[in-house]
Amino acid sequence: MTYTLDGLGDSKSDFCSKENYDTFPCNMGVDEIVSLSLVGAAISILMCVYLTQKLKGYDRGSEKMQKLSDSIASGSRSFLITEYKYLTGFVFCVAAILLLMFSASSTRTDDTDGIRVAGCFIAGALLSATAGWVGMIVATDANTRTTHAADKLGLNAALRVAFSGGAVMGFCVVGLGLFGVSIFLILMSYGRDSDDISSEDAATYPNKAVTYQWAAESLAGFGFGASSIALFARVTGGIYTKAADVGADLVGKVEQGIPEDDPRNPAVIADNVGDNVGDVAGMGADLFESFVGSIIATVTLAEGDVALMALPFWLAGAGVLSSWIGYWFVSTKDDASQKDLLHALHKAVHSASFLVIIFSIFICWGLFPGRQSDGWRCFGCIILGLFCGVLIGELTEYFTSYSYKPVKSITDAGLTGPATVIIQGLGVGMISCVGPIFVIVFTVICCNALAGEYGIAIAAVGMLSTLAVTLATDAYGPVADNAGGIAEMAELDERVRDTTDALDALGNTTAATGKGFAIGSAVLTAVSLLSAFEKQADIEGEINMGDPIVFSGMLFGAMLPYLFAALTMLSVRKAAAAIIEEVRRQFHTIPGLMEGTAEPDSERCVEICTVSSVQEMVLPGAYAILSPLFIGFLVGPRCLAGLLGGSIASGAMLAIMMSTAGGAWDNSKKYIEIEKACGGKGTDTHKACVVGDTVGDPFKDTSGPALNILIKLMSIISLTVAPLIAGNDDWDHFYY
């Protein structure tokens, strides 16, 4: 057991040994380690309550608007209830397996490893699902209030309402994540028998340092539970939302020539439901898992050192306070352009990031007395993580906002038809990988030089420290999208739709930016989890890319994101085909539907999307969970490490390409509709860009976003089972 930071130069600091563990910070108990994070959790929950009450102060609009909003909320609840029924069985089955596996392999006196890991797994799954549920409920309530604000109060008020709805998701994710990981670190630190500590460790280090390492082992189960829910929520929600979106667009806009969100379209309600279950509940579960996963990786790599364990918790707590302050900076003028609207949201993110830097100075100074070099190295990694997140967001915005050349080039390509729109969009998506990957590589190399593997992990925590406000800018998008849909279906004045269209276009950009941020944080978190896995599996220094076993694992891992993306894309096509057939049937068989004298059967489309998406989640979810288990137990930990490295590398590229290309296609259509480019709506150029947008839908909202969960899920599963395969040689247990 070592207590050093590997950085530049030859100097290394030993700390929290028997000689100095009675002094601060080495004498802190686990309750003091998580103290600031629990304060941050309390602030987050109180902020959620405040924002919910604040939203209720805004009017819900006319009776028709309320009816439409209630239909969207009802469909969203129905979907999540159905999804959670299936996931409940999955969670308890996996918990039972973990209980048996860890109980059977336990060599400790207290023999509670199985109970601890299974309990953490259930808690992680439960809190992740709860965050998604709460965020979705508030978002579906805020949509009609945003529409009414756009109608009666103007653009600035509508922006504030929609952002407040998204902020509930942000603060809920951070609050529940901090609460869960803090409480379970406390619980996992108690009840261990000191007789299990080796005589070598007992002679040098305090007992609590060893028990903290054991607690980190169990805490990996919490991340496993959160990751499982995140994957299924993202995949299922993504299939749902894009099946409904593709069906509504192809039949409604392309075949029938009716506007987007036209009330005559039977799939419109399902489309609006999908915005919430995919982009609110799904994204919330995704970043919940990134948030807790980065903290768990950091705690594991701290190897029981109190100061290094406290740093991510204190930093996350400071991030909550910074995000709370940043929230109040969001405002704009009523005649704002897209750049003005983007600046309004940037003020919140940038001010929160600046405050985190200030708080980090005091935290790193206070936690590292007598070893200031280590403190400032950690501070440097935090800064790098923050700037990495901001830069990835700016780069993603450049490639997905119609204020810039890449999106405009796709619109121009529409002059020669849909084929050139697809070609140009794929090119934009591919070239968009260059900037984010360069930034991530630079961050990883610099953090490794400053503080080793721990530095990369704390950089991920730094990037996610402002998650409450960053996620708010992302979750705002579906609220604005729903508001525009309600304005169209309620047949409000064109000026209202113009206002909501401006907010929706901003939401498309922030959604793409949020996805870029999620991918960047996923890569840093996955790399940290991979490092933690190598420590727990006792294979540090044994990973050689020229080794056939490791290289085979890398090739296999690099293939997995492509298989996963293919399965989810095919699932969207299959589910969308069912919606297309149903929408066509209703247009052909319901008299007066096109004339607007009859009501569509929207509930049937909601039902089809729900059933199809839940059924289609099984295959990609199952192989994502089983692949690392089969490789780890049948081949060995070295091959599994190769698998993780290969999947992180290829998954990051594919996720960036798909998410950015999809967002660029979407906004190339919005550029025509909002700015009247190339002749405006109804032209051949517009129709070509609608086709591009339809192709991009599963890119940006299903396959692309789910890939970052895939690489984190496989990493956290590997970390969870690492104690069970530690010390195994290649093919030790292939006969099982």
Side-chain angles (χ1 to χ4, degrees):
M1 183 186 304
T2 60
Y3 293 94
T4 59
L5 284 179
D6 298 326
L8 296 174
D10 298 325
S11 63
K12 296 189 177 186
S13 303
D14 291 322
F15 42 85
C16 293
S17 60
K18 284 282 189 180
E19 290 73 26
N20 62 3
Y21 77 85
D22 286 332
T23 60
F24 181 84
C26 299
N27 61 351
M28 286 197 300
V30 66
D31 52 340
E32 295 168 289
I33 290 174
V34 301
S35 57
L36 286 187
S37 63
L38 287 175
V39 171
I43 293 173
S44 295
I45 301 304
L46 290 174
M47 187 64 172
C48 289
V49 174
Y50 166 77
L51 291 173
T52 303
Q53 294 301 315
K54 177 183 177 182
L55 286 171
K56 289 181 178 179
Y58 290 94
D59 199 288
R60 298 187 69 210
S62 66
E63 184 178 343
K64 186 173 184 179
M65 291 166 59
Q66 294 182 40
K67 181 181 178 182
L68 291 167
S69 178
D70 291 342
S71 296
I72 295 169
S74 175
S76 301
R77 286 194 301 269
S78 175
F79 168 80
L80 279 191
I81 290 171
T82 302
E83 180 187 20
Y84 287 173
K85 283 180 181 177
Y86 283 87
L87 291 181
T88 298
F90 163 80
V91 166
F92 282 104
C93 285
V94 174
I97 293 171
L98 291 173
L99 175 63
L100 293 174
M101 288 174 61
F102 280 87
S103 296
S105 64
S106 178
T107 58
R108 297 191 176 110
T109 306
D110 59 62
D111 200 26
T112 58
D113 285 349
I115 296 174
R116 291 170 183 268
V117 175
C120 286
F121 176 82
I122 293 173
L126 178 62
L127 290 174
S128 178
T130 301
W133 176 270
V134 172
M136 187 210 68
I137 292 298
V138 175
T140 53
D141 180 60
N143 52 23
T144 187
R145 301 181 194 276
T146 302
T147 307
H148 184 264
D151 183 18
K152 304 298 183 183
L153 303 176
L155 180 62
N156 182 49
L159 173 66
R160 291 287 301 175
V161 174
F163 185 73
S164 295
V168 173
M169 179 81 260
F171 282 99
C172 183
V173 163
V174 171
L176 291 179
L178 281 178
F179 174 79
V181 77
S182 300
I183 292 298
F184 274 84
L185 179 64
I186 294 173
L187 294 177
M188 295 304 107
S189 299
Y190 290 134
R192 288 299 192 185
D193 197 318
S194 60
D195 292 340
D196 291 322
I197 301 175
S198 68
S199 57
E200 180 183 353
D201 287 340
T204 310
Y205 303 106
N207 290 348
K208 65 181 181 181
V210 183
T211 59
Y212 289 159
Q213 289 194 48
W214 293 344
E217 290 180 13
S218 301
L219 207 58
F222 187 94
F224 183 9
S227 295
S228 300
I229 295 298
L231 182 75
F232 287 117
R234 210 27 157 157
V235 169
T236 312
I239 293 172
Y240 184 113
T241 183
K242 291 305 109 180
D245 199 357
V246 170
D249 283 354
L250 284 181
V251 181
K253 290 196 288 188
V254 177
E255 294 182 8
Q256 299 295 331
I258 60 178
E260 185 173 2
D261 295 321
D262 192 289
R264 295 170 291 178
N265 194 327
V268 163
I269 293 294
D271 185 11
N272 282 274
V273 169
D275 292 334
N276 293 288
V277 300
D279 291 338
V280 178
M283 176 60 88
D286 177 1
L287 287 170
F288 178 94
E289 184 254 350
S290 284
F291 186 62
V292 300
S294 64
I295 294 175
I296 291 169
T298 311
V299 170
T300 303
L301 292 169
E303 295 189 286
D305 176 68
V306 176
L308 296 182
M309 287 182 66
L311 182 56
F313 290 102
W314 288 26
L315 178 60
V320 171
L321 180 59
S322 302
S323 298
W324 177 79
I325 296 172
Y327 165 83
W328 303 103
F329 282 84
V330 176
S331 63
T332 191
K333 52 190 179 182
D334 283 333
D335 59 345
S337 65
Q338 277 295 302
K339 286 189 176 181
D340 293 330
L341 290 170
L342 280 170
H343 178 66
L345 297 187
H346 284 170
K347 286 188 295 184
V349 176
H350 293 167
S351 59
S353 299
F354 175 76
L355 289 171
V356 166
I357 293 173
I358 301 300
F359 290 137
S360 297
I361 293 173
F362 292 100
I363 291 172
C364 291
W365 174 77
L367 277 178
F368 296 90
R371 39 191 277 228
Q372 293 298 327
S373 175
D374 289 338
W376 296 124
R377 287 180 178 182
C378 290
F379 174 71
C381 294
I382 293 169
I383 300 300
L384 285 167
L386 278 168
F387 277 100
C388 179
V390 172
L391 285 175
I392 289 175
E394 297 288 345
L395 288 167
T396 307
E397 178 187 318
Y398 173 75
F399 281 100
T400 56
S401 171
Y402 67 63
S403 299
Y404 303 103
K405 187 175 180 179
V407 171
K408 291 180 179 179
S409 72
I410 297 175
T411 303
D412 292 339
L415 294 170
T416 51
T420 47
V421 168
I422 303 300
I423 293 169
Q424 185 72 14
L426 287 173
V428 168
M430 290 176 184
I431 202 170
S432 71
C433 295
V434 176
I437 293 300
F438 179 84
V439 172
I440 292 171
V441 168
F442 179 81
T443 302
V444 169
I445 291 175
C446 291
C447 290
N448 182 68
L450 284 171
E453 296 159 342
Y454 180 88
I456 300 170
I458 200 64
V461 178
M463 179 189 289
L464 291 162
S465 60
T466 59
L467 179 60
V469 72
T470 305
L471 180 54
T473 64
D474 187 15
Y476 141 89
V479 178
D481 195 355
N482 274 197
I486 291 172
E488 183 71 32
M489 289 184 282
E491 300 176 330
L492 299 181
D493 291 343
E494 188 66 25
R495 62 175 179 80
V496 181
R497 187 65 209 236
D498 288 342
T499 300
T500 57
D501 277 350
L503 295 176
D504 186 22
L506 173 65
N508 288 335
T509 302
T510 59
T513 303
K515 291 179 178 72
F517 176 84
I519 294 165
S521 65
V523 173
L524 289 184
T525 301
V527 170
S528 304
L529 292 169
L530 173 56
S531 299
F533 164 73
E534 291 180 5
K535 282 185 179 294
Q536 297 282 27
D538 197 22
I539 56 171
E540 286 185 287
E542 298 181 21
I543 308 302
N544 177 6
M545 288 190 298
D547 187 301
I549 293 294
V550 177
F551 188 72
S552 297
M554 290 177 61
L555 284 178
F556 186 76
M559 173 274 297
L560 291 176
Y562 286 88
L563 175 59
F564 185 85
L567 291 174
T568 51
M569 291 281 285
L570 293 172
S571 295
V572 170
R573 201 279 319 160
K574 183 178 177 181
I579 290 294
I580 289 170
E581 291 176 4
E582 175 61 23
V583 175
R584 285 173 176 168
R585 183 194 68 78
Q586 292 195 33
F587 274 121
H588 291 152
T589 60
I590 299 178
L593 182 56
M594 273 300 293
E595 292 75 21
T597 58
E599 292 287 329
D601 185 5
S602 300
E603 292 183 4
R604 177 59 184 157
C605 291
V606 171
E607 181 184 350
I608 291 173
C609 283
T610 300
V611 173
S612 298
S613 58
V614 171
Q615 289 176 344
E616 293 296 323
M617 77 176 177
V618 176
L619 184 57
Y623 104 75
I625 292 171
L626 294 177
S627 293
L629 296 178
F630 274 110
I631 295 298
F633 283 102
L634 296 184
V635 184
R638 296 195 311 123
C639 188
L640 179 53
L643 179 149
L644 296 178
S647 65
I648 292 169
S650 72
M653 306 295 176
L654 192 58
I656 293 172
M657 188 279 289
M658 297 185 81
S659 296
T660 307
W665 274 318
D666 192 353
N667 270 345
S668 71
K669 177 197 69 175
K670 293 290 183 185
Y671 181 48
I672 294 174
E673 295 173 347
I674 296 175
E675 303 296 337
K676 316 301 181 188
C678 299
K681 292 183 181 181
T683 61
D684 288 341
T685 304
H686 180 237
K687 292 177 180 178
C689 289
V690 168
V691 174
D693 175 39
T694 305
V695 173
D697 278 337
F699 269 54
K700 69 182 176 65
D701 289 324
T702 307
S703 301
L707 285 169
N708 60 71
I709 306 176
L710 174 71
I711 62 177
K712 290 180 295 182
L713 175 61
M714 292 196 294
S715 299
I716 197 70
I717 290 174
S718 302
L719 179 59
T720 302
V721 301
L724 303 180
I725 60 176
N728 287 1
D729 290 328
D730 300 331
W731 302 107
D732 261 4
H733 302 293
F734 74 95
Y735 45 80
Y736 289 130

